[in-house]
Amino acid sequence: MNLRSALCATCLVGLAANSSAIAGTNDILIGLDNKITYGPDGPTNGAPGNDAVIVVDVSDPAKPRIRASLPLTNSLLGPPTNLQITPDGKLGLVANSVVHVQDGDAWKSVPDDKLYVIDLAAEPPKLIDTVTVGRQPSGLSISRKGDLALIANRDGKSVSVVSIQGSTVKPVGEVPLEQQAAAVVIAPDGKRAFVCMNLVNKIGVLAIDGEKVTYDKSMDIPSALNPYNIDITPDGKYVIASNTGAQKNNADAEVIIDATGPHPHVVDVMSPGTGPEGFAIAPDGKTAATPLLLGTAAKDSDWFKTKVGELVLMSIGTDGKLTVTARAPLGGLPEGVVYSANSDYLYVANYFEKDLQVFQLAGGKLTEVGGSRLKLPGQPASMRAPAR
């Protein structure tokens, strides 16, 4: 009897350890920015100190639940891709773009340079390191192998190169671009990356050789106005840059780039609507989704003001072209968007309502899962799942 009890205890310990080790592969990271609020006259900066990064478990994809909250500074100023989980689910990286400092009676945003490292295998998840990267780190990308991360730096006008070896995360280089960089994505084979140089309306191409990353200006690809977010299909054939420069209820654009061959180039441009700041391609490569901001961040007096945003689902053709297949209403200022691992659910975070909407995908259609809105303990500014 004692032997049996001991064996059972050993099994339970093993299961618990295994569950902890793989927990991160079912996680989503959400950055909460509680420094910026919106009123009739638009955004207002507030005092720092109440931001957080929460870990949401989606092992039951229709019923997400919060499993941890860490008091870490996070920023709305940048694409909602300043954080990501390693492919094995063990680490979460969070880049903080700005901090608020007092300026008389008001608060102003100044560039930060911090990258937080979170141990997601711990129970509960915990911060294990803070490293220094480029100025105003924004969108980041982790390689499919999980051994490298690239971070687009807006004020630093560069891309930080970060080595990931087990739980050790270490900056190993800085790639100067001479232009502001908003977001970056690493190709599945790990040999190239594509970076949004948002103020000059171009996509830069980076060559990757181990931890050596180089930029060739002659490879720059013209994009639409303000390329602000970017993703790549799982087969590495197409890069899609989400551009938000038209604004004011005019049509923004998705720019589709053939990512293969010696000279990547634009093959198509389409518009899903206004404000596709959040953007993601499904793990199976069949669809892409964007939560449109529309006019939800506008002043009450602006003619293009809207109260709610809109989720757009698009199919990805064999030629890379996007075709809208479904639309669904969202809340105000919908920032992040994430697919489930099986590409059959979508999660969208609404900044104003402080909640997470869940949609099921089937046959190119969107169905919101009833009663599934998850209340969040703050304003969601960014959201990502594991790199895949």
Side-chain angles (χ1 to χ4, degrees), residues 18-35:
N18 186 57
S19 175
S20 176
I22 66 171
T25 60
N26 295 314
D27 284 341
I28 291 173
L29 291 180
I30 301 179
L32 305 179
D33 183 345
N34 293 314
K35 305 182 298 300

Side-chain angles (χ1 to χ4, degrees), residues 43-289:
T44 300
N45 288 345
N50 296 310
D51 292 352
V53 173
I54 60 173
V55 184
V56 176
D57 177 14
V58 292
S59 51
D60 181 346
K63 298 178 180 179
R65 67 175 185 88
I66 297 173
R67 78 177 185 98
S69 178
L70 294 85
L72 298 173
T73 306
N74 190 72
S75 176
L76 177 71
L77 298 182
T81 55
N82 67 315
L83 70 183
Q84 196 168 30
I85 297 170
T86 54
D88 60 10
K90 293 181 179 180
L91 293 181
L93 303 183
V94 182
N96 186 52
S97 297
V98 299
V99 293
H100 281 186
V101 297
Q102 198 150 13
D103 183 21
D105 295 330
W107 295 87
K108 67 178 181 179
S109 298
V110 298
D112 198 13
D113 58 3
K114 297 296 185 292
L115 178 69
Y116 302 119
V117 183
I118 301 171
D119 182 356
L120 294 171
E123 195 57 57
K126 62 183 181 180
L127 178 71
I128 58 172
D129 201 3
T130 301
V131 299
T132 300
V133 291
R135 285 174 58 83
Q136 201 172 349
S138 295
L140 64 80
S141 179
I142 298 174
S143 67
R144 182 174 284 184
K145 288 176 61 178
D147 61 348
L148 189 78
L150 299 180
I151 307 171
N153 304 310
R154 295 179 68 182
D155 192 65
K157 298 180 180 179
S158 65
V159 170
S160 292
V161 183
V162 178
S163 168
I164 305 171
Q165 301 296 329
S167 61
T168 301
V169 176
K170 182 176 66 175
V172 294
E174 199 82 12
V175 184
L177 301 177
E178 300 179 354
Q179 303 292 342
Q180 187 178 114
V184 63
V185 66
I186 300 174
D189 64 5
K191 296 180 180 180
R192 268 182 178 162
F194 298 82
V195 57
C196 293
M197 297 186 291
N198 53 305
L199 295 187
V200 293
N201 309 320
K202 293 179 180 179
I203 306 299
V205 182
L206 306 179
I208 304 173
D209 182 6
E211 294 180 352
K212 181 182 179 182
V213 181
T214 54
Y215 164 60
D216 182 352
K217 188 175 182 179
S218 69
M219 298 277 287
D220 284 357
I221 306 165
S223 185
L225 295 175
N226 195 49
Y228 204 60
N229 203 341
I230 195 163
D231 206 351
I232 191 167
T233 54
D235 59 11
K237 288 184 178 180
Y238 298 103
V239 164
I240 301 175
S242 200
N243 301 257
T244 62
Q247 301 180 341
K248 297 187 177 180
N249 233 24
N250 295 303
D252 290 317
E254 305 294 348
V255 173
I256 298 92
I257 296 167
D258 183 338
T260 63
H263 298 287
H265 56 278
V266 174
V267 293
D268 198 33
V269 179
M270 61 84 68
S271 176
T274 303
E277 188 168 304
F279 180 82
I281 293 174
D284 65 8
K286 295 180 180 178
T287 65

